[in-house]
Amino acid sequence: MGIPDRLAERMSMAEQHEWLMSQRPSRRSVFRAGALGAGALLAGPSLLGSAASAGTGPTLATTNSTADGASVAPFARHLAFGADPRRQIRIGWQVPTPVRRPFIRIGTDPSDLSGRIPAEVRPLHSEVPGAAGPVDQYYLHVELDGLRPDTTYYYGVGHKGYEPASAAGAISTVHTAPQRGRWDVEPFTFTAFGDQGVSPHALANDGVVAQQNPAFHLLLGDIAYADPSGQGRPVSATGANGTDIFNPTIWDSYLGQIEAVASRVPWMVATGNHDMEALYSPEGYGGQIARWDFPGNGPKACPSVYSFIYGNVGVISLDANDVSNEIPANLGYSKGSQTSWLKSRLKFLRRQPDVDFIVVFFHHCTYSTTNAHASEGGVRAEWVPLFDAYRVDLVLNGHNHIYERSDPLRGGSPSKAVPIGGTVHPDTDGTTYLSVGGGGRSLYSFPAPDSYAGHVNDAASVNTYSWTGVGVKTPEVVTWSRVRYTGYSFVAVDVTPARLGQPATLTVRAVAESGAELDRVTLVRTAGLCTVGSRGVSDAKADFDAA
Ligand SMILES: [Fe+2]
Ligand SMILES: [Fe+2]
């Protein structure tokens, strides 16, 4: 029951969803919105007492009979930071069938997990046109607030009849971010890739990422590929009549695949074109809201837009579907609120005296030369002036299934060539842009030869293009494509805060699925020196705790 092509072309994602829903025999909510009050205040010695007194949790709002809880094993545990990674952790997981009274047990001592916190249930009901039948998925979530900074917590997930403490391998850990302040932050590493999907390469990348022991992982959009068409069109099981193919059960495989890492490393997600799923309102993001715990401090219209501070790094997640000329299903859906929010957030971060680096991540590439998608002109027009104005240090994108690094750019022009092993001073040199889409999905190609560590093959210029309007590809000849690698890969970013007499450094290492290093570049900032913003301590004091 897809939307006719001639109609779909003129409809936004929201309109497509409305149309699709109107064709169904009875309209029902696929996402029960609103928190059920599962958050609990956990602080200091009262942690276990507070948790234990939180009472029993809600049962699933379903008329299905529940199975014997002992026979139902939770799976797909995945973590996220809240807006304040020092004190807020979100834990999500899944059960294959309805259960009663889902909960987590948590504590700082693995031998004493008597603290029990009820879970919020987010059932997701999917009726895909052309599919054999409906699919029901049961996502469970707990929001933990008031945690201690820089502390390891042990947790297990369960429900009536299933105790995690008695299940082998069911206890995992999560570590909160360090207290803010220049002297409280030790060096740390975070990782990133996009375009993962479910594949042996995706699994291998998870393994190499885990070896980096990252403080958190950034997923740069195109997450599971339950919608392998990725056009944001109405969906069907077969892709007939110009629809996007959609199979919601791919998410079960994906979330199961990442569990080994994501159950102990916060998995911070941005949305790509394959993550617009027209079956779910609003804007194709209702499924993502059911599956993930987004920090929720971005513009109201954009669930996957948010920001957090970890140590001396301010991180911002954006939704480039809002500005994409190439795949315009959600073009303009935030009505400008995302860009306004980005500006205010960049201003805020630059005022923080302890934030040295700003890292922005989103899906569509600002600067890439692949034959497949190349560069998104909508991003350049809407956001690059802000990246320039606020001296953003590093931008991480996916979408192109390769690894590529630009020379530092300001106003679209490179300031200098930075070879592998080189150094960038972002405040004067400009922003470094990475395309890191080799997370596991099938690979793309470049018009120029690959050039990476041990295989340097500099190209004086590359003929490529940018999506400067809807359906408009404008050719360009560029000199900023410094490193290119056609292969499965990710980046590990090693951050060292400033110390007496020593600047802060952020070293990007691109790593192949095999573990081999492909690229390395170090960004350097001297503490307190930035050509924008006001970084005086008194000025920022009021903002400090609000971050
Ligand atoms: Fe992709
Ligand atoms: Fe994509």
Side-chain angles (χ1 to χ4, degrees), residues 53-94:
S53 64
T56 55
T59 53
L60 283 166
T62 173
T63 56
N64 298 340
S65 62
T66 52
D68 174 9
S71 66
V72 180
F75 69 105
R77 293 166 298 170
H78 52 278
L79 303 176
F81 288 138
D84 181 355
R86 296 167 297 180
R87 305 181 190 285
Q88 296 180 321
I89 296 289
R90 281 69 177 104
I91 300 174
W93 71 99
Q94 202 172 342

Side-chain angles (χ1 to χ4, degrees), residues 194-195 221-222 225 273-274 363 373 398-401 437 441 444:
D195 310 82
D222 283 4
Y225 289 82
N273 54 300
H274 288 271
H363 186 60
H373 298 299
H399 200 41
N400 284 304
H401 299 183
R441 200 65 178 176
Y444 296 168

